[in-house]
Amino acid sequence: MRSKTETMAELRRMLHEMLAAREGGESAPRLARTQGYVDGTMRALLDSGQATRQELLELVAIERARVSGPATAEVRSASMSA
């Protein structure tokens, strides 16, 4: 079994590949396959207790910023602004 560090590094690589493919206008089948790998890895990390939902969200946000640049604005949920 892989360690959490190894699995998170692999997930980071797959996320980068998926987001770069989306930015590059890759074909739908390739993009769907890559998204499936990412989803499966994230589900395995959650189900095994190796990662929390928050950790995965942060990883996705970091990779998205690396590929697409920083967000233009921070979005807050309705419960946070009340």
Side-chain angles (χ1 to χ4, degrees), residues 39-71:
D39 288 349
T41 302
M42 291 174 103
R43 173 54 54 197
L45 283 164
L46 287 170
D47 289 349
S48 69
Q50 287 186 308
T52 64
R53 186 173 186 261
Q54 187 61 38
E55 286 176 304
L56 296 177
L57 288 172
E58 288 171 7
L59 181 65
V60 170
I62 290 166
E63 283 306 308
R64 184 175 290 139
R66 283 182 53 200
V67 172
S68 303

Side-chain angles (χ1 to χ4, degrees), residues 13-54:
R13 185 196 61 75
M14 288 189 296
L15 275 167
H16 185 84
E17 182 181 313
M18 179 191 75
L19 293 166
R22 189 175 69 188
E23 284 283 317
E26 282 293 333
S27 66
R30 180 170 184 263
L31 199 52
R33 182 175 50 250
T34 307
Q35 285 175 331
Y37 291 145
V38 168
D39 288 349
T41 302
M42 291 174 103
R43 173 54 54 197
L45 283 164
L46 287 170
D47 289 349
S48 69
Q50 287 186 308
T52 64
R53 186 173 186 261
Q54 187 61 38

